[in-house]
Amino acid sequence: MEEKPSSTDSPISPSLPAYPGPPDMVVRSTYIKPQGRKLHDPDVKFEEYYHYSQRTREEEKTLESPLLNWREIVLRKKNAHDAGNEKPGAHSSPNLTAADFANRANRLGISDEEWTNASRAYRTASWGACFYLITIDILGPYGVAFSIGTLGWGPGIALYTVFGLMAGYSGYLIWRVYLGVDSYEFPARNYGDLAFRTWGMAARHVTNIMQALGLLLLLGQVTIQYGENISETSKFRLCYVVCPVLFICAGFGITQIRTLKAYGWVANLAVWLNLLVIFITMGVMAHSPPNYGISTLGSAGSAVDSTTITPDAAGNYPPIIHYSGLPPNSLVGSINGLLSGVLAYAGAQLFVEFLAEMRRPRDFLKAMWGAQFFIYTVYLIYGCYVYHFQGQYSFNPSYQGVSIYAWQTAGNMISLLAALIAAGLYGNIGIKVLYNNILMDIFNAPPLITKPGKIIYACIVPVWWIIAFIIAAAIPDYFGFVSIMSASMLLNLTYTLPPLFCLGFDIQKNAIRAEQGEGFDPTTGQVMRNETTVQRWIRGFFSGGPLQVAINIWHVTYFLASLSMCGLGMYAAVDGK
């Protein structure tokens, strides 16, 4: 029997007995309390995460889900109903200060009850607030008609349906893994935590880099796109470089909102603003021609066949046409349109951040599936409507395809406000990923709940926005930039990583043989494992019954198919329109 201490720089209780086991059993000591651990301690094994997660889930069953109360949000007053249903001691001890959480040495003085109460106090969001956050995170119907125009009626509708279903399935996988590895003792705060607890440190680093870079590029894309809104509204009299800068300056303020609960009511406003733009453009498009003058800049025809939008010698534009299937000789253009569909459903990389602030994470599925169904319905109805009236002239974004300037300006300005809210959300999560995984891990920055942490966060906000703008502005081909971003980052974050995380979770969970003494012992704080790591992983893959093995094979297939789509998308993005 080999006994390995969990850490060499933390006190281990000498009074705990050795855990009995057969000679070939590997025993890893886990005597250190959760609050005494490093933020991402590789010595904490999957079995310990899983044990504490099941205990937390049982406690959450006794809690009532908080309500999205507008009086509480606006007036900052506590809802009497929620206050009466709080678990006693659900807040941090009044004797604790920010300094107690500031570093690992100080955390050793926090009791187990104080540690878990601090984690409970962080979880306040309702599933209603998450519904609005998911909707504003994902909802972006203004490129759907463009995508259908590059794919045709049949393939466009089919692929939007498939992408919507698979995005929802990916969200379900994230939820399932989160419930199995998150706890009050070891809270999972971001996407990288799922990678770390299912596949290890290397997977965490790769995931964090992808998420941070994806959110940074997404913020840059929104900044450039809505800088165009400002420029078009000014009838191009305002220098274009100034337009994104105005958007960025407004973003500095909204990104100062740190908690997602406080962001919920702002996200609600953004949803209704987007719906208002949709209704305005649908009404105007039904009674006016397309905006022919800008069709060469970003219409479906410019992506698949420029002759369909080229005027004749007399200045007359070709009539509106529709494709039932894929347009002829336009594979690359169709793939780029498909990538706009990927961008339309991208957002799963933020789900863990939403879950981490929910009082009852089990309720997340109601918010997620409700939001996905709402988003899918809006996408198809709006996209098909715009494509019907504008055909190959369907522009991305669609509200700029309105030919009447006054209504075009209305769409520009209303969508600008909604986009500012969405961009603030991307900045909020992106900065938290940077802060929690780089500044706290490497530079020992104080937690965000402390006053110094809040000050550092406020200082990072303008720097983050400026970097996003510089990266996006340095790439002259906007649609190429969107295609590369969608194929390389957003597709993998939404479709490739969730099945990989769930596969790792199921393998490790099903590899545990409790009848043989394996698993985590909370009395001694030891993790017992038989066999080597490779043997356990093979055993875990083929355990759980025929249905579970089939699910494992499906997740491998899903993972590889998503990687293939990533490669195909990168090829189309680089090859051009």
Side-chain angles (χ1 to χ4, degrees):
M1 180 173 68
E2 177 187 3
E3 184 170 327
K4 299 181 180 180
S6 298
S7 177
T8 58
D9 59 347
S10 297
I12 299 178
S13 171
S15 62
L16 292 175
Y19 194 91
D24 61 343
M25 181 172 289
V26 176
V27 181
R28 292 179 174 84
S29 172
T30 54
Y31 302 160
I32 306 171
K33 297 187 296 182
Q35 57 268 40
R37 294 286 188 179
K38 294 182 288 186
L39 289 178
H40 299 94
D41 195 334
D43 292 320
V44 180
K45 303 306 174 185
F46 174 85
E47 290 85 345
E48 187 169 358
Y49 287 128
Y50 185 71
H51 167 80
Y52 283 116
S53 73
Q54 298 311 294
R55 194 165 75 175
T56 298
R57 301 290 87 81
E58 286 300 316
E59 178 182 321
E60 288 173 347
K61 288 180 181 178
T62 65
L63 303 177
E64 290 190 26
S65 180
L67 302 176
L68 185 63
N69 187 281
W70 296 107
R71 182 171 178 269
E72 177 188 350
I73 291 173
V74 176
L75 302 179
R76 300 298 183 193
K77 292 184 178 180
K78 188 68 178 177
N79 185 305
H81 179 269
D82 289 344
N85 288 310
E86 284 184 349
K87 182 180 179 67
H91 294 286
S92 300
S93 170
N95 297 323
L96 294 179
T97 65
D100 293 307
F101 296 92
N103 57 64
R104 189 180 175 194
N106 292 355
R107 291 197 300 270
L108 289 172
I110 301 175
S111 69
D112 294 345
E113 184 178 3
E114 290 171 333
W115 179 256
T116 56
N117 284 342
S119 182
R120 292 185 187 101
Y122 183 78
R123 305 169 187 236
T124 58
S126 67
W127 73 268
C130 282
F131 170 85
Y132 291 116
L133 289 168
I134 294 171
T135 303
I136 188 55
D137 168 31
I138 298 177
L139 184 63
Y142 308 120
V144 179
F146 168 84
S147 295
I148 295 177
T150 62
L151 296 166
W153 282 115
I157 294 173
L159 287 171
Y160 260 88
T161 301
V162 171
F163 273 124
L165 288 174
M166 297 314 295
Y169 180 67
S170 291
Y172 162 76
L173 296 181
I174 291 171
W175 170 82
R176 184 168 175 268
V177 174
Y178 178 87
L179 292 188
V181 298
D182 165 77
S183 63
Y184 294 138
E185 289 77 9
F186 296 102
R189 299 294 195 207
N190 52 59
Y191 211 27
D193 285 348
L194 300 193
F196 173 66
R197 299 178 189 192
T198 55
W199 289 100
M201 188 65 76
R204 171 181 166 249
H205 291 320
V206 171
T207 302
N208 285 334
I209 291 172
M210 290 178 63
Q211 185 182 16
L213 186 56
L215 289 170
L216 190 65
L217 294 177
L218 197 56
L219 183 60
Q221 177 260 327
V222 171
T223 301
I224 296 299
Q225 177 179 342
Y226 288 91
E228 294 176 1
N229 279 30
I230 299 174
S231 179
E232 190 174 81
T233 301
S234 70
K235 293 187 176 180
F236 306 103
R237 289 193 293 263
L238 189 63
C239 176
Y240 175 72
V241 176
V242 177
C243 299
V245 172
L246 294 175
F247 186 82
I248 289 172
C249 291
F252 290 170
I254 196 167
T255 312
Q256 295 298 335
I257 302 176
R258 289 183 303 275
T259 65
L260 296 182
K261 181 181 181 182
Y263 219 101
W265 73 273
V266 185
N268 182 327
L269 174 63
V271 172
W272 292 105
L273 290 175
N274 276 319
L275 289 176
L276 180 59
V277 174
I278 289 171
F279 295 141
I280 288 175
T281 54
M282 290 174 72
V284 175
M285 287 177 180
H287 300 90
S288 63
N291 190 356
Y292 297 113
I294 65 170
S295 59
T296 58
L297 301 178
S299 67
S302 68
V304 297
D305 185 359
S306 60
T307 61
T308 62
I309 59 171
T310 303
D312 58 22
N316 299 313
Y317 282 86
I320 293 173
I321 61 173
H322 303 93
Y323 297 102
S324 297
L326 286 174
N329 304 318
S330 63
L331 176 62
V332 172
S334 296
I335 294 175
N336 281 325
L338 179 64
L339 290 175
S340 294
V342 172
L343 178 61
Y345 287 110
Q349 70 269 21
L350 304 187
F351 286 179
V352 176
E353 278 78 1
F354 300 160
L355 280 159
E357 296 194 24
M358 287 188 69
R359 188 179 182 190
R360 281 173 46 97
R362 287 182 183 275
D363 295 336
F364 177 78
L365 279 190
K366 292 189 291 186
M368 192 273 293
W369 282 116
Q372 291 286 2
F373 178 76
F374 173 77
I375 291 164
Y376 170 75
T377 303
V378 171
Y379 278 178
L380 276 196
I381 293 176
Y382 183 65
C384 291
Y385 185 95
V386 173
Y387 185 55
H388 169 75
F389 281 103
Q390 298 206 325
Q392 78 276 25
Y393 296 101
S394 298
F395 197 79
N396 185 11
S398 58
Y399 51 79
Q400 292 187 359
V402 173
S403 57
I404 301 175
Y405 174 75
W407 289 112
Q408 183 188 106
T409 301
N412 276 331
M413 297 314 296
I414 297 172
S415 64
L416 179 68
L417 182 55
L420 182 63
I421 296 172
L425 180 62
Y426 302 145
N428 177 289
I429 302 298
I431 293 171
K432 286 180 179 177
V433 171
L434 171 73
Y435 194 95
N436 292 330
N437 296 285
I438 296 180
L439 298 185
M440 289 185 67
D441 267 11
I442 299 176
F443 300 102
N444 296 317
L448 275 172
I449 60 174
T450 65
K451 185 175 181 180
K454 295 175 181 178
I455 293 174
I456 295 174
Y457 174 92
C459 295
I460 293 175
V461 168
V463 177
W464 186 263
W465 276 83
I466 291 170
I467 293 174
F469 169 65
I470 292 174
I471 292 176
I475 301 175
D477 182 6
Y478 172 77
F479 288 103
F481 170 67
V482 171
S483 297
I484 290 177
M485 175 182 67
S486 300
S488 62
M489 295 297 163
L490 302 182
L491 187 149
N492 288 320
L493 289 167
T494 302
Y495 299 100
T496 305
L497 294 183
L500 180 66
F501 295 163
C502 194
L503 179 66
F505 173 79
D506 285 335
I507 287 175
Q508 295 199 66
K509 181 171 71 73
N510 292 321
I512 300 173
R513 294 291 183 268
E515 66 277 7
Q516 299 177 15
E518 292 188 340
F520 173 71
D521 187 339
T523 304
T524 63
Q526 292 177 325
V527 174
M528 306 300 297
R529 289 179 173 180
N530 289 313
E531 302 178 334
T532 64
T533 301
V534 174
Q535 289 174 323
R536 291 182 64 259
W537 280 75
I538 294 174
R539 182 179 69 188
F541 187 91
F542 293 101
S543 297
L547 178 60
Q548 182 59 55
V549 174
I551 291 174
N552 292 340
I553 295 173
W554 156 244
H555 286 158
V556 172
T557 304
Y558 184 16
F559 168 74
L560 294 176
S562 298
L563 279 182
S564 301
M565 184 61 208
C566 169
L568 185 63
M570 290 292 289
Y571 157 74
V574 173
D575 191 64
K577 294 182 281 186

